[in-house]
Amino acid sequence: MAAKIILSMDGMVIKEYPLNKERMTIGRKSHNDIAIDNLAVSGEHAAIVTILHDSFLEDLDSTNGLEVNGVPTKKHFLQSNDVIEIGKYKLKYINDQVTQTTAADFEKTMVMRGPVKQAAPATAQPAKSEAGESTGRFDTPRPASPAPASAPSAKPASAAPSVKPPSSPADANQHVAVVQVLTGPNAGKELELVKNLTTLGKPGLQVAVLTRRPQGFFITHVEGERFPSLNGVSLTSQPHQLNDHDVIELAGVKMEFYYKK
């Protein structure tokens, strides 16, 4: 059962909307997926982005803003039974699916978020956020690369047989995907895409999310007026599948997506 939004006002249910699209907009204008004809609602007020079984809400610079569970917010990772308030209208988020993603994946400090490989004992440890959590940003020293998972345990890493890049989407899920920064002060830094969802970019400027699916990895634009580019071509609001050695340009930084050999 897909997640859904239940729109109500003054305790009366108006309509239910299944979240059956990757990106659904909420606003006063009729072209929105969830149209609310009220002057307190901006033409395009907010958007709900759904990746796999997870959804998050973002305010589209609306005039009157929005609240989730009574708290004003610009971006919020939605959990079942959350109530979004826009003026007198309430939108209740219902999701019965089990999720592996946590709200920390969408917090405001999500700059190049994602798990970082453990550093070698002699190197510096990854930077810590104020809460003491590893942020996984690209401001950490480049960690030592572990031996490929396909290497026999009895052989050292240097003796591991080389692995050819995936020749099909099915092969892609059997190998570790990596994003490497090509430009800027963090050039050369790598991020292994070991989670189903990794967020890249700079909040308030450009944010995109990389998702692992059965067909491979996809990139989806989620925040910012300008869309990221892939191999020099601007992306659209729809998810786009990544191929080995694709070059992504996001928030003024170029990075390469590839599968570890």
Side-chain angles (χ1 to χ4, degrees), residues 149 172 174-178 192-194 212 217 258-261:
Q174 300 176 15
H175 301 287
V176 176
V178 174
E192 284 190 358
L193 305 178
V194 297
R212 184 203 304 269
F217 280 86
Y258 65 93
Y259 292 98
K260 274 198 167 183
K261 300 179 181 179

Side-chain angles (χ1 to χ4, degrees), residues 163-177 212-218 241-244 257 259:
V163 179
K164 294 182 179 180
S167 57
S168 67
D171 293 335
N173 286 325
Q174 300 176 15
H175 301 287
V176 176
R212 184 203 304 269
R213 301 183 182 182
Q215 303 92 336
F217 280 86
F218 286 74
Q241 185 165 8
L242 292 169
N243 295 312
D244 201 21
F257 170 87
Y259 292 98

Side-chain angles (χ1 to χ4, degrees), residues 131-176:
E133 176 195 6
S134 295
T135 60
R137 304 176 191 172
F138 280 134
D139 55 5
T140 59
R142 182 173 180 175
S145 299
S150 58
S153 57
K155 295 182 180 180
S158 60
S162 60
V163 179
K164 294 182 179 180
S167 57
S168 67
D171 293 335
N173 286 325
Q174 300 176 15
H175 301 287
V176 176

Side-chain angles (χ1 to χ4, degrees), residues 78-95:
L78 291 168
Q79 300 184 57
S80 193
N81 296 314
D82 277 350
V83 176
I84 306 163
E85 296 181 56
I86 302 177
K88 295 182 179 180
Y89 292 86
K90 293 186 178 182
L91 300 93
K92 188 172 185 178
Y93 174 75
I94 301 294
N95 184 0

